[in-house]
Amino acid sequence: MQRVVLIATFIILSLSSYAQRKIVVVDLETHIPVEGVTVKVDSFPSVTTNRYGVAYIEEHFDSISFRHMKYLSDKITVEEMRDTMYLVPKNLLLPDVVVTGINPELKNAMKKNHERMLSQPTFKGLTFDFANLIDRRARRDRKHYKKAKKILKEWDAK
């Protein structure tokens, strides 16, 4: 009887020494699991979350830290720890950029292209071409040509 109790106690103690806790790390805004978060528990080796945001950590610890390059790093104590951890994304917003000025090379190139297109002979008579009815590219090109012509007239007026 004592032998059974001793073996049971040994098994329970050995299992408790390997006790692990499952945590899930998700994005605070989208609630989508975050893959690749480095989770560091005290002096234990760090672990990384899988594609489901799951990591297994030691059951008993004092503090835990979370690191990911797209999220703010976080270090919490065991009292603040929950099964699901929410990471705050880093908002990398660039300031507004205002570009002013006219590129003279582009303006000259557009004028040359306009002059070349005007110098090409055009036939103004009555024609019918079935292929032109179904040619989307030609219609698009004609529309772009009219738009470029309008822009050039506006530039000439300035």
Side-chain angles (χ1 to χ4, degrees), residues 12-158:
I12 291 173
L13 288 176
S14 65
L15 289 177
S16 66
S17 66
Y18 292 109
Q20 290 186 332
R21 182 175 183 173
K22 175 184 172 183
I23 59 167
V24 180
V25 181
V26 296
D27 186 298
L28 179 67
E29 295 174 354
T30 63
H31 296 274
I32 295 175
V34 181
E35 179 180 7
V37 176
T38 304
V39 181
K40 177 78 171 137
V41 177
D42 293 335
S43 61
F44 296 105
S46 62
V47 294
T48 305
T49 58
N50 62 14
R51 65 181 176 170
Y52 303 111
V54 175
Y56 294 95
I57 60 171
E58 296 296 324
E59 182 68 36
H60 305 289
F61 59 90
D62 293 328
S63 66
I64 184 170
S65 63
F66 301 90
R67 294 191 190 281
H68 192 278
M69 60 189 267
K70 294 182 181 178
Y71 296 89
L72 297 175
S73 297
D74 194 12
K75 185 172 185 175
I76 59 173
T77 61
V78 67
E79 292 84 20
E80 300 169 319
M81 183 66 189
R82 302 289 177 255
D83 289 339
T84 303
M85 290 305 303
Y86 297 95
L87 292 184
V88 179
K90 289 180 185 176
N91 292 328
L92 300 176
L93 298 177
L94 298 177
D96 292 339
V97 176
V98 178
V99 179
T100 58
I102 297 174
N103 184 348
E105 294 173 7
L106 177 63
K107 187 175 179 180
N108 291 336
M110 289 183 74
K111 280 185 181 179
K112 285 180 184 177
N113 191 31
H114 177 67
E115 292 169 1
R116 183 183 55 81
M117 292 178 91
L118 288 178
S119 67
Q120 294 178 350
T122 57
F123 180 70
K124 300 266 182 184
L126 182 62
T127 61
F128 178 77
D129 186 8
F130 182 72
N132 281 338
L133 289 176
I134 59 173
D135 189 9
R136 290 182 178 170
R137 184 179 290 169
R139 278 189 300 217
R140 185 193 68 212
D141 290 345
R142 282 192 297 272
K143 196 183 285 186
H144 288 182
Y145 174 72
K146 287 179 184 177
K147 196 180 224 182
K149 193 174 182 179
K150 182 181 174 185
I151 290 172
L152 284 173
K153 282 185 182 179
E154 288 175 3
W155 282 3
D156 288 340
K158 290 182 182 180

